[in-house]
Amino acid sequence: MEQETLIQTEAPVRERRLYIESYGCAMNFSDSEIVASILQEQGFSATSEETEADVILLNTCAIRDNAEQRIRERLKHLRGNKKKNGDLIIGVLGCMAERLKEKLLDEEKLVDVVAGPDAYRELPQLIAEVEDGKRSINVLLSLEETYADIAPTRLNSNGVSAFISIMRGCDNMCSFCVVPFTRGRERSRAPESIVDEAVQLRNQGFREITLLGQNVDSYLWFGGGPKKEYKQLTPEEQASSVDFADLLEMTARAVPDMRIRYSTSHPKDITEKVVRVMAAYPNVCNYIHLPAQSGNSRVLDLMNRNYTREWYMDKVRMIRDILPDCGISCDIITGFCSETEEEHQDTLSLMEWSRFDFSYMYKYSERPGTLAARKYPDDIPEDVKLRRLQEIIALQNRISNEKNQEYIGREVVVLVEGRSKRSEHDWMGKNDQHLVTIFPKEHYKPGDLVRVKIHKASTTTLIGTALGYAQF
Ligand code: SAH
Ligand code: SF4
Ligand code: F3S
């Protein structure tokens, strides 16, 4: 008996290896760092080699059908690894897990664990259940979970820039969008925990943070609990509440030597107060991602975006009045239900008028269960969607190229992130407006803030030479 106990205590605890792959938006990449932290506590160590892993987790996206198809292909490929290692556990996390739930376990038997975005604290138990031969799923959404107390384990980090989630979920119900169904109700995270995370990152040597939320402009903290609108708060709650502009200011002051970015702004909610904070703090980057989705008010109404073309234009004007040098980028969807040729032209003319620095552009992809899927036929033929998409891409490329040429001869401030993909002799970083900038390395190093004179520009990149170190 004695002997047995001894053997058991001395047997080494097998360290298990976790391989985690992320798809979709920055929030998913940020969540993977929370997942890694939770599992690290349980003795897992992260590996970047999928063949070495005991547990493989795919943190998935459901935003468009092709995002899900990619994951299916990946899961089929990973089945091969299972043949080599019979104990390998494969899990699906994130938005596709939340959307498909049990179906993922049943359909093709590709997956052992399914966990939705609010169930990550349960992952150690879910993995243990699989080891006991049970089906393992948790897709409960929460009204409160923000993982505020979990210090993320930075994965694939360049050691320079990091994401901080400031809120979760979305309450907007844009008719095309699956996010409210996969991420649940909107909830904000305590401001102190956000500022603490920023300070910790600074102490670890990071130089840039990006505050993340699906709609940062509706961030509101008044002591926790389910979300309320500002006007629903009691006078005491109002007095102590923190909105996004307040949070941005608190963070800018707490880490004056770090660059601060944020994403995503919503045109219906963005305020002058936020833009004024950007103007007042030089360490807050002059860059706003402001998705328009369409340039036509009827289509915007069908999309349930709650603003018109004119409202959007007013917001762009307001930003440019306060911050003339602000970079603005956009998301556009082409071929939304019933979009006419004239309405598509309105999108092109809005892009021409706004002169976005760059845009993310997509063909409409109907998502089951969304308002649009239930109410409007997906009636724009594939070839028309594609042609419209090509038109907006061509226009955006032209505008990006023209705008980037205007940088030639100018000086920009770049935070060095790492090696340029094209040449080991060059650094790659971003300027204030989030444009990729390349310059010869000389004595500079990642994390340096460098003044760079631009002498060449393409649609996506500025190329220059360093002039010296920069200050905010
Ligand atoms: N919260 C952000 C967007 C998150 S999703 C916002 O409100 O702008 C990122 C982008 O994916 C969206 O801006 C939209 O352009 C695109 N998208 C979302 N659902 C889509 C769908 N069903 N088909 C095509 N593109 C979609
Ligand atoms: Fe989706 Fe709209 Fe929410 Fe953005 S704001 S995540 S597009 S529902
Ligand atoms: Fe995709 Fe979910 Fe983000 S659907 S875009 S990973 S919130």
Side-chain angles (χ1 to χ4, degrees), residues 139-260:
V139 285
L140 291 177
L141 287 171
S142 157
L143 291 178
E144 277 117 33
E145 180 64 272
T146 59
Y147 301 110
D149 56 317
I150 294 176
T153 299
R154 304 294 163 184
L155 297 168
N156 305 320
S157 169
N158 58 13
V160 176
S161 47
F163 295 125
I164 304 183
S165 289
I166 63 164
M167 59 209 294
R168 300 183 70 80
C170 184
D171 280 353
N172 278 316
M173 286 295 184
C174 302
S175 63
F176 52 79
C177 186
V178 78
V179 172
F181 303 93
T182 62
R183 295 245 156 200
R185 300 305 300 266
E186 184 188 288
R187 65 224 98 121
S188 297
R189 174 179 167 188
E192 302 76 31
S193 77
I194 297 167
V195 170
D196 284 353
E197 194 173 327
V199 172
Q200 273 171 28
L201 284 164
R202 197 246 334 257
N203 294 344
Q204 290 163 17
F206 284 84
R207 298 299 316 276
E208 180 178 80
I209 51 176
T210 304
L211 306 177
L212 293 179
Q214 293 297 352
N215 173 3
V216 291
D217 302 296
S218 67
Y219 176 91
L220 183 62
W221 180 259
F222 55 93
K227 186 201 164 192
K228 289 189 211 166
E229 302 288 329
Y230 184 79
K231 51 185 182 294
Q232 296 170 328
L233 302 182
T234 63
E236 298 79 55
E237 284 172 336
Q238 281 187 357
S240 63
S241 70
V242 176
D243 66 12
F244 180 61
D246 301 329
L247 177 74
L248 191 62
E249 181 159 29
M250 283 165 73
T251 318
R253 282 179 186 224
V255 286
D257 48 351
M258 284 182 112
R259 254 188 179 184
I260 298 168

Side-chain angles (χ1 to χ4, degrees), residues 23-28 60-64 94-96 178-179 182-183 214:
Y23 296 81
C25 64
M27 303 228 51
N28 247 19
T60 62
C61 174
I63 201 83
R64 285 169 288 277
C95 293
M96 192 176 165
V178 78
V179 172
T182 62
R183 295 245 156 200
Q214 293 297 352

